[in-house]
Each structure stands twice: as structure tokens, then as C-alpha cells.
């Protein structure tokens, strides 16, 4: 890998990344940074913490404040839910989707209510903590509804007669079920995203590029396994036919005459499907190892 200076990284410059201080995104964000070699000492939670081995400092904030803080340049980058970014309408650039914090923003109504289209919401009262996104959605569909903004426990609004429908975050849907609601419109599919200020200096952009390079390597490896197996040489073709989409697995001779070792990278999801077929084709001593990083 090229040295940092060579890639244009000024050793004195650093970037400040805004991260949720506590809540659903904090742990995954800090884990992703740590796997990227960016370790922040947070034994005693402070507002601002420097990484020991990378020119980054982490600013811990409520997620509501992250988009604006990045748009203003108080932080250079941030990790926040797409839902929060859209709601705050902050002028920041989405650098990368991060693959965690998945959820959706949906409209739900009492489950016994009939519903055929978004027009059925005309004149209705909808409770939400996301008025900006909801207003845009209704406008796009030419529907006039009353938006009632509440910050917590949106899901009980219909039950207590506060609203006819809700617009809220859904992940498994179990909260809806336990409140007698059903999801009728998915308005936004959300996940955590890395965002950046639009006016970063060349030096800061170089650091951000290095960070993204590392995130790519960690994320590419996330659902992959390194698989090794031994087999008699004459079984090789049958085994290679079972391995999906692999351009060129490594095949090495073993000390034992006529035997070889086959190494390859597999998606974890397909591994269980093909393990039986690998054994049937003659593979033995199959080892499955986690991959920490993958540079593509
Ligand atoms: P803060 O104190 O930082 O304002 P919060 O209470 O607003 O936190 P959390 O509940 O911690 O926010 O959720 C943070 C983000 O996690 C959400 O904005 C959303 O992008 C994502 N998320 C993923 N799954 C869920 C879920 N089931 N419920 C709520 N948020 C979820
Ligand atoms: Mg919040």
C-alpha cells in the first residue's frame, strides 16, 4: 500500500467524524471504525475523542444533530441514518452506504381500516416524528393530510385517538402488530450512511478517501468466508463444478501423492447450500475461516 503522504495525506491534517453518542447506530459505527484500524479510547465517554493511529477525531452527538453539524463543517464527516439526513434537509454529501441500521419509514393505519391507495389518506390526521419527509411524500401524491408532530411513542397515536394513521420507523414490524397497525406505504428504505461536508480541503479529502478505502475492505469481507478443503486429484473437476462463480480457486498439491488442497472464497449465505455437494464430490477436511479484510 502506498504511504499516506504519497496519497496526498498531510500528516498534520485530520478529519472530525460525527458519530451517534448512544443509541442504535453507536455500536456498529464504532465497531466498523475499529475494524478499519481506527481505535478511539472511549472508556470514559467524552464529547470529542482522538484516534490513536489515524488522523481522525470522533465527535459524539445525538443523531438529530449530525446532518447539520456536517453541513456546517463543524464536523467534516458523519455517520447517520438516511432517514435522519433526509428529515434534516442538511446539505451534505452521501459518501457511502454502510450496510447497518437498516429500517424503513412507513405509513401505517389501524389494521381493520380499509386501504386501497395513498388517496385514502386525504383529510386524515397522521402522527409522526418525520414531518419533512411525510410532507414531501404527500405533496408528491397530491394528498392533503394533517401532520401531527410528536417526538416519542408515535405508534400509540391511533390507539389513543390522536391520529388516524402514523408515519414512523419500522424494522421487524412487531411494534406495528402489537399496536394493531398495518403498514400501507413504504416511503423510505433507510440505512446508516457516511456523509461528508461538501467543501472539504484536498488534504481532508485524501484522509476521507483513505477511510473509505478501509471501510470498503472491511465491508467486502463481512459476509465472506475463506474455505479450504482436501481432495483426491481425480475429484478436482467435480469439486470445482460445485463451487459457484469462482474464477480461479487456488489448487495446491499435498505431500500425499494424488491429493490436493483447494482454497476459495465463498459467500457465507451459499456455504451451507453447497457443503453437502462438496463432500459428495470427494472433499474432506473442510475448513471455513472468517476473512477480516478484502482488498478488491
Ligand atoms: P438520539 O438520542 O441520538 O437522538 P434516537 O433515539 O433518535 O437517538 P435511535 O433509536 O438510536 O435514535 O436510532 C438511530 C437510528 O437507527 C434511526 O434514525 C434509524 O436510522 C436507525 N434504526 C434502525 N432500526 C431502527 C429501529 N428499529 N427503530 C428506530 N431506529 C432504527
Ligand atoms: Mg434522534
Amino acid at each position: 500500500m502506498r504511504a499516506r503522504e504519497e496519497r496526498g495525506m498531510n500528516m498534520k491534517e485530520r478529519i472530525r467524524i460525527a458519530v451517534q453518542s448512544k443509541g442504535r447506530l453507536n455500536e456498529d459505527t464504532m465497531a466498523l471504525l475499529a475494524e478499519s484500524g481506527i481505535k478511539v479510547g472511549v472508556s470514559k465517554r467524552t464529547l470529542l475523542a482522538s484516534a490513536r493511529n489515524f488522523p481522525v477525531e470522533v465527535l459524539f452527538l445525538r443523531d438529530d444533530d449530525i446532518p447539520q453539524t456536517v453541513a456546517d463543517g463543524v464536523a467534516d464527516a458523519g455517520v447517520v441514518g438516511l432517514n435522519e439526513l433526509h428529515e434534516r434537509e442538511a446539505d451534505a454529501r452521501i459518501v457511502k452506504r454502510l450496510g447497518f441500521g437498516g429500517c424503513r419509514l412507513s405509513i401505517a393505519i389501524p389494521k381493520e381500516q380499509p386501504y386501497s391507495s395513498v388517496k385514502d389518506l386525504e383529510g386524515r390526521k397522521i402522527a409522526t416524528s418525520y414531518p419533512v419527509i411525510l410532507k414531501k411524500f404527500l405533496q408528491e401524491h397530491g394528498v392533503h393530510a394533517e401532520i401531527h408532530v410528536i417526538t416519542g411513542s408515535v405508534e400509540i397515536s391511533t390507539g389513543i385517538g390522536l391520529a388516524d394513521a402514523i408515519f414512523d420507523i419500522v424494522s421487524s414490524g412487531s411494534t406495528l402488530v402489537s399496536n394493531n397497525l398495518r403498514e400501507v406505504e413504504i416511503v423510505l428504505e433507510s440505512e446508516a450512511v457516511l456523509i461528508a461536508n461538501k467543501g472539504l480541503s484536498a488534504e481532508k479529502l485524501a484522509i476521507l478517501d483513505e477511510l473509505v478505502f478501509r471501510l470498503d475492505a472491511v465491508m467486502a469481507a463481512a459476509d465472506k468466508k475463506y474455505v479450504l478443503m482436501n481432495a483426491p486429484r481425480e475429484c478436482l473437476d467435480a469439486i470445482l463444478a460445485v463451487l459457484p462463480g469462482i474464477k480461479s480457486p487456488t489448487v495446491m498439491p499435498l505431500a500425499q501423492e494424488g491429493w490436493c488442497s483447494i482454497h476459495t472464497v465463498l459467500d457465507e449465505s451459499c456455504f451451507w447450500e453447497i457443503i453437502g455437494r462438496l463432500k459428495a464430490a470427494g472433499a474432506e477436511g473442510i475448513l471455513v475461516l472468517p476473512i477480516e479484510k478484502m482488498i478488491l
Side-chain angles (χ1 to χ4, degrees), residues 20 62-64 84 88:
Q20 190 189 26
R62 287 200 59 181
D63 70 345
D64 314 46
E84 211 55 51
R88 305 287 153 188

Side-chain angles (χ1 to χ4, degrees), residues 114-131:
Y115 187 90
S116 53
S117 83
V118 61
K119 302 281 179 221
D120 293 348
L121 298 169
E122 183 70 33
R124 297 304 180 109
K125 195 168 174 182
I126 309 174
T128 188
S129 315
Y130 293 91

Side-chain angles (χ1 to χ4, degrees), residues 174-191:
S174 58
T175 308
L176 295 185
V177 171
S178 54
N179 286 282
N180 271 328
L181 293 163
R182 72 184 170 107
E183 194 173 3
V184 290
E185 299 284 345
I186 296 175
V187 174
L188 177 74
E189 299 274 6
S190 181
E191 69 183 284

Side-chain angles (χ1 to χ4, degrees), residues 79-268:
V79 175
V80 72
L82 198 56
N83 54 316
E84 211 55 51
L85 179 68
H86 284 209
E87 182 62 25
R88 305 287 153 188
E89 294 186 299
D91 192 21
R93 175 168 69 91
I94 296 176
V95 179
K96 186 172 173 56
R97 287 181 169 251
L98 298 175
F100 62 86
C103 59
R104 52 198 191 270
L105 272 178
S106 294
I107 297 174
I109 61 169
K111 73 169 190 288
E112 65 285 357
Q113 290 276 321
Y115 187 90
S116 53
S117 83
V118 61
K119 302 281 179 221
D120 293 348
L121 298 169
E122 183 70 33
R124 297 304 180 109
K125 195 168 174 182
I126 309 174
T128 188
S129 315
Y130 293 91
V132 172
I133 297 173
L134 178 59
K135 194 170 162 207
K136 264 195 202 145
F137 175 79
L138 294 173
Q139 267 170 2
E140 278 164 19
H141 289 83
V143 170
H144 304 89
E146 187 185 334
I147 299 177
H148 187 84
V149 182
I150 50 176
T151 50
S153 304
V154 173
E155 66 280 1
I156 63 166
S157 307
T158 57
I160 60 172
L162 192 69
D164 305 305
I166 67 161
F167 176 59
D168 202 10
I169 289 184
V170 178
S171 54
S172 70
S174 58
T175 308
L176 295 185
V177 171
S178 54
N179 286 282
N180 271 328
L181 293 163
R182 72 184 170 107
E183 194 173 3
V184 290
E185 299 284 345
I186 296 175
V187 174
L188 177 74
E189 299 274 6
S190 181
E191 69 183 284
V193 288
L194 175 68
I195 58 173
N197 180 271
K198 287 185 171 172
L200 292 186
S201 66
E203 288 86 357
K204 287 188 172 183
L205 274 177
I207 300 172
L208 187 68
D209 279 353
E210 170 75 23
L211 174 64
V212 170
F213 172 81
R214 294 183 180 198
L215 296 177
D216 284 343
V218 172
M219 289 171 65
D223 53 356
K224 298 277 195 292
K225 297 286 175 205
Y226 193 80
V227 180
L228 307 83
M229 68 206 87
N230 294 338
R233 186 100 213 160
E234 66 263 21
C235 299
L236 188 58
D237 286 346
I239 289 172
L240 295 187
V242 173
L243 295 175
I246 306 294
K247 269 190 236 131
S248 183
T250 307
V251 179
M252 285 179 289
L254 291 180
Q256 191 178 345
E257 191 65 33
W259 278 70
C260 61
S261 171
I262 302 150
H263 297 201
T264 193
V265 173
L266 289 182
D267 272 345
E268 187 167 24

Side-chain angles (χ1 to χ4, degrees), residues 26-36 218:
N26 171 272
E27 218 172 276
D28 284 342
T29 306
M30 297 315 288
L32 184 58
L33 290 177
E35 284 166 33
S36 305
V218 172

